[in-house]
Every structure is written in C-alpha cells, then in structure tokens.
Amino acid sequence: MSSTNVLEIFSSVQGEGKYLGCRQIFVRLADCNLSCAYCDTDFRRADFCRIETFAGSMIFRDEKNPLDAAQVVDVIKNFSGTVPTQAVSFTGGEPLLHWQFVRDVAETVKNFGVKIFLETNGTLPDALEKILPTVDIISADIKLPSAGKNLFNLHEKFLRLAHGKDLCVKIVVANETTAEEFLAAVDLVARVDKKIFLILQPVTPTKNSCAASAEKILSFQAAALQKIKNVRVIPQTHKFIKLL
Ligand code: SF4
C-alpha cells in the first residue's frame, strides 16, 4: 500500500459549493503545484499529521508522517461508523499530486457506504485519468490568469475528463478579477457542457487579495447565466462559524 504526507484528518461540514452543509470526512494532503494569489492554505509537508481523536471533537492527536493508506482507512472507518457521513473529501494542497494514495484509500473506503469527493485545482488531467473510476464527486477550480497564470488548456482537458461524474466548477472572484478573464472561463465551461454546476466563490480576503464588490459579483453571475444554466454565488461558509 502507498504512503504519503497527510496534514490532517477530521470530520466536519462541507463549507463550500454544491454539497455545502453535508457531513464529510476531510483528508488534507500536503503539496500544491500552484501558488494562487489568494491562497490561505498552508500545504507544506509536516512531520506529523493531525488526526481528530473522535469525529467532530476538534481535539487532535499527532501521528508521524508519512501515513500509509491502511492507517487512513482505519480513521475513516472509525469516523464513518460514528457519524453518518456523506463523503470522504480528499483536499489539499492538491490531492491529485498523491493520486496513487487517494486511489488506494478510496478503493477501500467506498465499501463503507461513503462517496469519494475530490476537491482539486483542476490542472492535473493525467493524474485524474488514473483515479477517475474511484471518484464519485469532483469539485474543480478554474484558476484565472490574475490569480497566477493562464491554465485554461489544462482546465479544459480536465473538465472533459471529469464530465460525466458529479461535477461542479468553482471560480474564485476577487477585486482584481477582470470581466474578460471571467467570461473566458465561463466560455470554457460552456464549451464542455452548459449544464455544469458553476459556483462563483467571492474570495475570502487575504493580505494579497481583496474582496470583490457585491455589484461585481452580481454582474458576473448575470453574465454567466447567459451561457450556463446553473450559476450560484456561494462563499466559504465554514469560516463564518469557525469550523475547520
Ligand atoms: S490551488 Fe489551492 S492550495 Fe494550491 S495554491 Fe491555489 S488556492 Fe492554494
């Protein structure tokens, strides 16, 4: 079985996107292939993984990294046996950098009656292809050039592969987001499928990124609705109530 650097494992509420409010188990993996301007996640490798002592306690014990897949399966089995859980969410960083580990864990935990949820920046289509059969739900970002660099070709390849799964696409909108790049991203989604569930996520401000105005968010949603059937504005709700 594979092993990798895991940052934390806990049971909480999904704070973003289509499955907002669902009870999930989060497996947060280290490393990312991007460096977005608005990133607020510390994805550096750690000597120890924080593992919640029991589901929802927000009390943690430390386990030496790397963890092997069997250790993570045991934690998920314990949590999902305690609290009915909609999905196991692999997040990061970028979880597809650890596709082999995700696949090893996912293949076993599917038997516990939970879905496999992948939260990804949507830029590693080759890795996605390797684990596609084991994944049920995909939340894929489209990163806009103002957040770093133009990755639209990779995003389009990724979405064409992910299409057919339970897929939603997230675009983070900040003060610095331009209408031109936003509409180019919407066109990209529409080319793949106008029925893809599209989420505009107002940026949670960081020292490098400022909030977009309400007028901007509403005008972007109105423009996107001309091309995509289902466009929702959903912020990161877990931050309001200090959930993990
Ligand atoms: S893809 Fe996500 S984790 Fe990686 S730098 Fe961007 S916001 Fe941070």
Side-chain angles (χ1 to χ4, degrees):
M1 267 210 166
S2 57
S3 62
T4 202
N5 196 280
V6 184
L7 297 179
E8 44 186 10
I9 309 174
F10 56 93
S11 164
S12 189
V13 171
Q14 175 56 252
E16 301 180 7
K18 184 176 176 183
Y19 290 98
L20 185 70
C22 289
R23 191 61 180 253
Q24 296 185 351
I25 296 165
F26 295 83
V27 179
R28 184 181 304 286
L29 301 168
D31 305 328
C32 189
N33 57 322
L34 302 182
S35 54
C36 305
Y38 49 73
C39 185
D40 60 354
T41 307
D42 185 357
F43 49 75
R44 289 172 298 178
R45 290 183 167 231
D47 291 339
F48 294 92
C49 171
R50 285 173 8 118
I51 301 177
E52 214 173 23
T53 50
F54 60 92
S57 67
M58 297 178 80
I59 299 167
F60 291 83
R61 65 183 167 85
D62 287 340
E63 194 74 39
K64 185 95 178 90
N65 264 317
L67 264 59
D68 66 40
Q71 286 175 280
V72 176
V73 166
D74 280 348
V75 175
I76 293 169
K77 186 176 186 183
N78 179 275
F79 286 179
S80 61
T82 314
V83 180
T85 299
Q86 181 243 352
V88 175
S89 179
F90 291 92
T91 185
E94 175 46 52
L96 282 174
L97 292 171
H98 312 264
W99 63 266
Q100 204 159 5
F101 182 83
V102 172
R103 189 181 63 187
D104 287 349
V105 175
E107 279 176 350
T108 306
V109 304
K110 276 172 98 74
N111 300 324
F112 306 155
V114 292
K115 292 190 181 300
I116 304 302
F117 190 124
L118 182 67
E119 294 191 272
T120 170
N121 62 33
T123 61
L124 297 172
D126 294 347
L128 176 68
E129 199 165 16
K130 294 192 170 77
I131 66 163
L132 204 50
T134 59
V135 175
D136 300 299
I137 306 166
I138 300 174
S139 171
D141 295 345
I142 292 188
K143 300 295 185 186
L144 300 178
S146 62
K149 54 186 171 182
N150 191 323
L151 299 158
F152 282 7
N153 287 342
L154 284 172
H155 283 310
E156 185 154 355
K157 189 173 175 197
F158 190 98
L159 293 188
R160 290 193 184 283
L161 277 171
H163 183 237
K165 293 286 172 178
D166 183 349
L167 170 67
C168 64
V169 171
K170 181 181 83 189
I171 303 176
V172 174
V173 177
N175 185 45
E176 50 273 21
T177 306
T178 68
E180 186 187 15
E181 62 181 350
F182 176 76
L183 291 173
V186 170
D187 282 342
L188 187 163
V189 177
R191 273 198 301 280
V192 178
D193 188 345
K194 293 178 168 46
K195 295 193 289 303
I196 287 176
F197 193 104
L198 178 64
I199 293 158
L200 272 63
Q201 183 173 290
V203 75
T204 303
T206 65
K207 63 178 174 13
N208 296 320
S209 198
C210 299
S213 67
E215 291 85 351
K216 183 173 200 164
I217 298 286
L218 289 172
S219 70
F220 278 18
Q221 185 189 34
L225 281 165
Q226 301 293 330
K227 302 189 174 179
I228 304 284
K229 284 185 185 307
N230 201 348
V231 184
R232 309 245 181 121
V233 175
I234 306 177
Q236 290 183 297
T237 61
H238 52 295
K239 307 229 166 162
F240 300 158
I241 50 174
K242 297 189 170 33
L243 284 173
L244 292 166

